[in-house]
Amino acid sequence: MARLVLEDVTKRFGAVIAVDAVDLQIEHGEFVVFVGPSGCGKSTMLRTISGLESVSAGRILIGDRDVTHVAPSRRGVAMVFQSYALFPHMTTAENIGFGLRLARVPKDEIARRVTDVAKTLQIEALLDRYPRQLSGGQRQRVAIGRSIIRDPEVFLFDEPLSNLDAALRVRMRLEIARLRDRLDATMVYVTHDQTEAMTLADRIVVFNQGHIEQIGAPVELYDAPANLFVAGFIGAPAMNFIPAEIEAGENGKANVRFGAVSLPIGREAAEGKVTFGVRPEHLSVAAESEHDFLGRVEIVEKLGAESLVYLQTGFSKAPITMRIPPELSVHAGEEIPVRVGRKRLHLFDAEGRVI
Amino acid sequence: MEGDKRFWRAVLLALPLAVFAVFVIWPLASSFYYSFTNWNGFNPDYDYVGLDNFQKIYTDKLFYQAAINTALWMIAAILLPTALGLGLALLIDSSVPGSAAFKSIFYLPICLSAVVVGQIWVWIYQPDWGLLNTVLEAMSGERLRYAWLAKPDTALWSVIVAWSWQQTGLSMVIFLAGLTTIPEDLLEVCEIEGATTAQRIRMVVIPLLTPATVVVIALSVINSLKGFDILYIMTGGGPFNSSDTLAMHMYNESFKKYLMGYGSAISVVLFLIALTIIRVYFRQLRKVDELYG
Amino acid sequence: MADAAVLPPARPPFNPWPAVIFVALIVLALLFLAPTAGVLLSSVKTTREIALGALWSIPAELYLGNYAEVLANPAVHRYLLNTVLVSAPATVASIALGALAGYVFAKLPFRGSNLLFLVIVSGMFFPPQVILIPLFRLFNAMNLIDTLWPLIVIHTAMGIPICTLLMRNFFATVPNALREAAILEGANEWQVLIRVALPLSLPALAVLATLQFTWIWNDFLWPLIFTQSDEKRTIMLGIVNLRGQYSVAWGVQGALSLIASLPTLVVFLFFQRYFIKGMTMGAVKG
Ligand SMILES: Nc1ncnc2c1ncn2[C@@H]1O[C@H](COP(=O)(O)OP(=O)(O)O)[C@@H](O)[C@H]1O
Ligand SMILES: [Mg+2]
């Protein structure tokens, strides 16, 4: 059982703290995605798990074995690189069988297992080609093939799809999802692409400046972000943040006020300054009588399946984004009535923590 | 636009092509011509002698000796510096302290001329007080006085050692340059897949150094074909022609015996050898281009 | 988990290899230095000290007389001057011609240009002996034997293959968009070459300057064939010639060798910074 445990793992590069005291448990068979802005330490985290980087402090356990100082090849991990890292002088078959050749596995067994893997990935026809003769998506499959042939306990992917064009990325994403269901192995997957994270992950780990901001299932992070950072990072277009205040409302419950708007939040809360967050899809164009505020339309982006509207309001310097059905006709310069959905209100205190 | 390009091509290529044609291509062609004559180097007159010179090659014992020596010389003078240079580059690349100093030390001999290198090694091989005998005598405790360069058995090999000492630095520098072009992630794959150092070098590093190797071999071939100077300085082809090469033989026949026609015939043979090597080289180059280009 | 965190992490295993490699390199470096060091040592000893059998030992005292002797010899001045008069123009000319041809092959290819390029590059592989006799006859007919002209011309011509190869490879890495942008701005090919391509190819120029200068300075064969009088000898011929004059003065010979090698050493040290970079871009990635 390949449980992966990180205890207080820290990695420093000189003065830069790339990974800062990370504690994390990943269960056997789980697919965990690391997301976070560029430079936040995702790759470094992954590379310390693989052993390519040694830790500055802390412990790493794979399957309850302390592998902190074990050589990468003895950790039972396989890694798929962003650049694919295929050997240009080896054919597809040789690239996939590389690890077995190193371990001096008999030739016919290598051939058999390479063929099996190639079948799984549907690249049997490419076994005799060199990397230069393959397309980006095909190279990616070969790289994945090389990682699955050794039956590792833990798979590590570092932005494996980011070099592919948009259409291919969607297809490969589905393939990786299929692979995840078939392989019954622990997988750690780094990406900065939200869609990849949301669609693939059992759990998402949000990194920021070397530490973990929140861990949770995709929907959990989306519906109940623990802090401003996660709320702003997860979801595209991003959540609207509005400076607001908590004030006393009816029945001892509190209201949130911004500008002339005051909304009941349906529970108690201490009075004071807060940040009010609402996702673009929870704003809607309302009938005249039901609206909470009026906004002047600055820009309309018609995406086909939906439209994004950017509004100027009196209470927020940044434009407020809302998502509306495509058939609603809204024009720049118009003033429209907007209603805030009552169910999904997010409030954050001065430190950015959710209230 | 295309007219412009044609104009500039002509302008830019005119001078290099003219110089190359007059002083390289034309002499090359004339060598063939003179190889069918008996020109002696002074006399403006000479006769056409047909294939006489080539028939003479056929019976020239010294030519065979020189041809064998040339083959030995080229094989050793290519393999030794290449292998040594590769070894040094791998050692230095393993991030040792003072790598810059090591690089300079191993490269230093390249800056020296054949004349100077020859002189240094003549001293080393000197029978009475040379460094080699001094050290060997100190180690064995016997008086040795072996005349390395004056014995037919060791003369050629002694020069090859001196040559390798000089040329190793160049291969090393080129291999070091090649090592910097190997992508880091490929080496990381080796680490994750569990390659031993030997496996990594044999299965990944050396294959990936192919472009550098091609350059090293090319330079070694060029330099070793030109390796006339150091033999001339150190042994003059002797003793008893035991270190004669084709280049040396050609020089002796042409400029010592003034048999320019015969010398030309030898140089034609040299040319054909070079041509064969070039063809092999370019075929390799194409293969390399396909994989690494 | 809390209790596990208190445990000190297991130590990484000790790796002896860096130390072994370092020692191996030191030994090899000493072996490689020994020949040069021997000459250096001999050059600061008196002839008497050497004659007593101490050519390879540390000198009793630093004796600079050998250098004084060499530097005071007017013949040496002449040899050095002749060598400069050959090396400098031939180095510059061969690189210039190589740059011209290399630019056309990299940026203005035409039908058959690849074949022409291969023909030029194969010139690198021919031993000079192959063209020796016709050139001797040519320069003889032009009455230029025993002048420096044949040396300058031949070194320039023989340098064209390698210079063309390296310059083409280097120019090929200069983005086409740069050339096109310059052309749209109204530049002609000559201006693109001089103002855009060459400034971006300094490492290649450094490599070629080092290689060409070293080869030409150190050359022995061509001056041996084309010069006869002492007036026109280059330094390498001069060293061999002076051997008779200083036959047992090993120290003077050593000093002479070192002085003759100084220019190439200086050129290498000067361009060293660019050398590896130029090699990487111009040759290894070619
Ligand atoms: N080898 C290294 N040396 C020094 N700093 C590094 C090194 N690798 C990463 N870093 C630094 O560590 C931080 C995290 O980098 P990385 O893990 O690559 O981020 P991410 O993959 O999330 O974009 C960055 O500030 C980066 O500059
Ligand atoms: Mg990264």
Side-chain angles (χ1 to χ4, degrees):
Chain A
M1 285 285 117
R3 212 162 135 245
L4 171 64
V5 179
L6 306 178
E7 286 177 5
D8 207 23
V9 171
T10 299
K11 176 66 187 176
R12 280 181 228 104
F13 295 106
V16 180
I17 302 180
V19 172
D20 191 3
V22 166
D23 279 309
L24 181 63
Q25 288 200 41
I26 299 174
E27 298 306 324
H28 173 80
E30 221 184 349
F31 195 113
V32 168
V33 175
F34 291 175
V35 294
S38 173
C40 69
K42 310 179 294 287
S43 295
T44 308
M45 186 71 257
L46 203 68
R47 291 164 58 82
T48 52
I49 297 174
S50 72
L52 290 174
E53 304 281 0
S54 59
V55 299
S56 305
R59 295 207 309 166
I60 299 172
L61 291 88
I62 295 180
D64 295 324
R65 186 166 65 108
D66 184 340
V67 296
T68 314
H69 298 293
V70 173
S73 59
R74 307 248 171 82
R75 294 186 178 198
V77 300
M79 187 151 166
V80 177
F81 292 79
Q82 179 177 0
S83 58
Y84 318 136
L86 297 180
F87 298 109
H89 61 292
M90 295 185 195
T91 61
T92 298
E94 287 166 341
N95 264 297
I96 295 179
F98 180 66
L100 300 183
R101 217 146 34 101
L102 294 177
R104 302 218 160 75
V105 174
K107 276 217 177 71
D108 45 342
E109 195 192 332
I110 297 182
R112 192 175 50 71
R113 284 169 66 179
V114 167
T115 315
D116 281 352
V117 167
K119 258 187 214 141
T120 311
L121 295 166
Q122 293 160 10
I123 47 175
E124 291 153 282
L126 311 175
L127 282 178
D128 292 326
R129 297 230 198 133
Y130 288 95
R132 297 206 76 194
Q133 306 161 326
L134 300 176
S135 70
Q138 292 170 335
R139 288 182 205 184
Q140 185 58 70
R141 282 163 209 253
V142 178
I144 292 175
R146 182 174 60 196
S147 73
I148 60 183
I149 197 164
R150 288 190 313 142
D151 267 334
E153 296 181 282
V154 178
F155 282 94
L156 306 173
F157 296 86
D158 193 354
E159 311 210 17
L161 305 186
S162 60
N163 281 351
L164 302 178
D165 63 52
L168 204 51
R169 203 179 303 176
V170 173
R171 269 197 13 224
M172 285 304 296
R173 200 174 73 208
L174 290 173
E175 298 230 357
I176 288 179
R178 224 169 278 147
L179 209 61
R180 170 196 65 189
D181 298 339
R182 177 134 30 98
L183 284 180
D184 180 43
T186 310
M187 301 197 173
V188 183
Y189 187 105
V190 167
T191 181
H192 60 251
D193 182 312
Q194 295 214 10
T195 324
E196 275 172 44
M198 301 295 282
T199 53
L200 289 172
D202 295 322
R203 278 197 299 161
I204 294 178
V205 179
V206 182
F207 276 85
N208 183 29
Q209 299 186 345
H211 63 261
I212 296 177
E213 293 278 356
Q214 190 176 358
I215 306 174
V219 181
E220 205 177 311
L221 295 195
Y222 192 82
D223 288 344
N227 53 47
L228 262 179
F229 180 85
V230 175
F233 191 80
I234 301 282
M239 187 185 279
N240 295 298
F241 293 125
I242 302 164
E245 267 171 61
I246 299 285
E247 53 184 29
E250 297 161 15
N251 314 337
K253 294 185 177 162
N255 284 359
V256 59
R257 157 178 294 284
F258 50 96
V261 188
S262 181
L263 302 173
I265 61 171
R267 56 192 158 99
E268 293 173 22
E271 291 183 26
K273 284 199 190 312
V274 295
T275 301
F276 168 62
V278 60
R279 293 204 181 273
E281 56 267 42
H282 299 139
L283 297 176
S284 54
V285 181
E288 210 45 63
S289 56
E290 292 184 327
H291 78 275
D292 293 313
F293 62 86
L294 290 172
R296 184 169 296 282
V297 177
E298 197 179 355
I299 299 171
V300 180
E301 288 179 348
K302 292 191 161 62
L303 300 180
E306 64 187 17
S307 296
L308 299 181
V309 180
Y310 298 90
L311 299 171
Q312 282 173 332
T313 59
F315 47 80
S316 166
K317 272 204 210 121
I320 300 291
T321 316
M322 64 185 286
R323 237 171 168 154
I324 62 171
E327 56 275 9
L328 276 185
S329 134
V330 169
H331 302 282
E334 231 180 304
E335 190 146 86
I336 57 172
V338 178
R339 181 172 169 81
V340 180
R342 297 296 192 269
K343 282 192 183 144
R344 304 263 170 71
L345 305 182
H346 304 274
L347 295 171
F348 304 96
D349 66 17
E351 271 80 53
R353 279 185 305 255
V354 76
I355 301 175
Chain B
M1 221 32 227
E2 192 43 44
D4 261 14
K5 278 192 177 177
R6 204 169 303 151
F7 166 77
W8 281 110
R9 263 177 219 137
V11 169
L12 297 176
L13 275 181
L15 200 53
L17 283 191
V19 173
F20 190 71
V22 173
F23 296 102
V24 179
I25 302 285
W26 174 79
L28 208 63
S30 326
S31 267
F32 278 82
Y33 174 71
Y34 292 120
S35 68
F36 298 109
T37 71
N38 63 357
W39 185 48
N40 69 5
F42 308 105
N43 219 326
D45 298 329
Y46 50 81
D47 292 323
Y48 182 76
V49 296
L51 288 173
D52 278 9
N53 288 325
F54 291 94
Q55 265 159 10
K56 189 173 167 194
I57 284 182
Y58 209 68
T59 55
D60 183 354
K61 289 229 174 59
L62 290 182
F63 178 88
Y64 283 108
Q65 172 81 57
I68 290 170
N69 282 347
T70 304
L72 276 182
W73 164 263
M74 284 194 54
I75 291 170
I78 291 166
L79 287 187
L80 278 179
T82 304
L84 272 172
L86 176 62
L88 288 178
L90 289 173
L91 288 180
I92 289 179
D93 193 56
S94 67
S95 67
V96 286
S99 62
F102 284 125
K103 260 183 246 175
S104 300
I105 289 173
F106 294 124
Y107 189 85
L108 178 79
I110 278 289
C111 302
L112 307 179
S113 70
V115 171
V116 171
V117 171
Q119 175 179 14
I120 293 176
W121 284 83
V122 165
W123 287 7
I124 289 177
Y125 291 131
Q126 212 282 341
D128 300 317
W129 43 259
L131 183 63
L132 185 57
N133 281 349
T134 312
V135 169
L136 288 178
E137 283 168 9
M139 288 193 331
S140 67
E142 300 168 38
R143 215 73 180 105
L144 196 64
R145 307 240 160 190
Y146 190 82
W148 299 91
L149 290 171
K151 294 278 168 69
D153 288 348
T154 48
L156 184 64
W157 291 104
S158 302
V159 180
I160 287 175
V161 168
W163 173 264
S164 305
W165 174 76
Q166 188 194 18
Q167 296 290 315
T168 294
L170 190 59
S171 346
M172 178 201 67
V173 169
I174 296 168
F175 279 125
L176 279 173
L179 284 171
T180 63
T181 67
I182 295 183
E184 191 67 26
D185 51 10
L186 294 186
L187 302 178
E188 290 177 344
V189 169
C190 292
E191 221 179 310
I192 289 190
E193 302 281 329
T196 61
T197 305
Q199 283 175 324
R200 174 167 47 88
I201 290 175
R202 188 167 49 83
M203 295 168 73
V204 175
V205 174
I206 290 182
L208 289 177
L209 279 178
T210 308
T213 312
V214 169
V215 177
V216 168
I217 303 260
L219 283 178
S220 305
V221 171
I222 297 169
N223 287 343
S224 70
L225 276 170
K226 291 178 181 166
F228 162 86
D229 303 7
I230 194 163
L231 279 162
Y232 182 91
I233 303 289
M234 288 184 71
T235 66
F240 315 116
N241 302 305
S242 65
S243 60
D244 232 0
T245 57
L246 286 179
M248 182 74 69
H249 191 51
M250 182 266 170
Y251 173 82
N252 286 338
E253 297 293 323
S254 316
F255 292 90
K256 291 255 169 77
K257 301 189 191 162
Y258 299 106
L259 299 174
M260 295 281 183
Y262 185 50
S264 295
I266 299 175
S267 71
V268 165
V269 173
L270 259 179
F271 172 82
L272 295 177
I273 295 173
L275 202 64
T276 317
I277 294 173
I278 293 169
R279 287 192 38 194
V280 174
Y281 175 69
F282 278 128
R283 197 155 340 122
Q284 279 314 111
L285 204 62
R286 248 215 318 278
K287 260 196 233 153
V288 170
D289 246 18
E290 273 164 23
L291 288 189
Y292 303 93
Chain C
M1 216 156 79
D3 54 354
V6 223
L7 285 174
R11 287 200 159 219
F14 174 70
N15 182 359
W17 281 109
V20 173
I21 288 173
F22 186 68
V23 172
L25 275 174
I26 293 272
V27 171
L28 284 169
L30 288 178
L31 270 175
F32 259 78
L33 270 181
T36 324
V39 177
L40 190 66
L41 289 177
S42 73
S43 73
V44 293
K45 285 177 199 164
T46 61
T47 307
R48 222 180 91 78
E49 190 178 350
I50 296 173
L52 289 175
L55 184 75
W56 303 98
S57 59
I58 303 290
E61 59 178 319
L62 204 63
Y63 171 72
L64 294 177
N66 297 325
Y67 287 94
E69 166 103 35
V70 170
L71 291 176
N73 188 336
V76 173
H77 299 170
R78 213 164 46 236
Y79 299 151
L80 286 172
L81 180 65
N82 286 342
T83 320
V84 170
L85 288 179
V86 171
S87 307
T91 302
V92 172
S94 59
I95 297 176
L97 294 184
L100 292 179
Y103 182 79
V104 175
F105 290 127
K107 293 296 173 207
L108 301 170
F110 50 95
R111 243 159 54 97
S113 66
N114 268 337
L115 186 66
L116 185 59
F117 177 67
L118 285 191
V119 169
I120 293 185
V121 169
S122 28
M124 269 192 327
F125 291 86
F126 294 117
Q129 281 78 10
V130 176
I131 56 172
L132 206 85
I133 290 169
L135 284 177
F136 182 74
R137 204 176 145 81
L138 174 71
F139 286 112
N140 202 7
M142 295 167 76
N143 244 335
L144 289 174
I145 301 289
D146 205 27
T147 67
L148 299 179
W149 286 108
L151 303 181
I152 297 174
V153 171
I154 292 172
H155 280 305
T156 302
M158 300 273 295
I160 287 177
I162 178 113
C163 294
T164 304
L165 172 70
L166 240 78
M167 291 314 296
R168 187 206 71 141
N169 286 353
F170 230 89
F171 287 151
T173 67
V174 174
N176 271 329
L178 280 185
R179 171 178 164 270
E180 280 154 14
I183 299 260
L184 287 180
E185 297 281 323
N188 59 39
E189 300 291 349
W190 172 256
Q191 287 165 324
V192 175
L193 169 61
I194 298 295
R195 304 254 174 84
V196 181
L198 273 184
L200 288 172
S201 307
L202 289 180
L205 297 180
V207 171
L208 285 176
T210 314
L211 287 179
Q212 281 296 98
F213 183 81
T214 306
W215 277 339
I216 300 171
W217 183 274
N218 287 340
D219 184 46
F220 182 73
L221 175 68
W222 294 110
L224 179 68
I225 304 290
F226 285 109
T227 63
Q228 285 152 2
S229 68
D230 199 40
E231 296 297 310
K232 297 295 174 199
R233 283 205 174 108
T234 60
I235 185 70
M236 292 306 151
L237 277 180
I239 293 180
V240 175
N241 187 51
L242 285 177
R243 245 178 229 166
Q245 184 179 336
Y246 297 123
S247 62
V248 285
W250 307 109
V252 182
Q253 284 192 27
L256 181 56
S257 290
L258 290 177
I259 287 173
S261 308
L262 213 54
T264 51
L265 282 175
V266 169
V267 167
F268 173 67
L269 290 179
F270 188 72
F271 286 122
Q272 191 181 26
R273 238 163 10 108
Y274 295 108
F275 195 79
I276 293 211
K277 189 170 172 216
M279 275 283 177
T280 316
M281 294 176 68
V284 182
K285 278 219 151 160

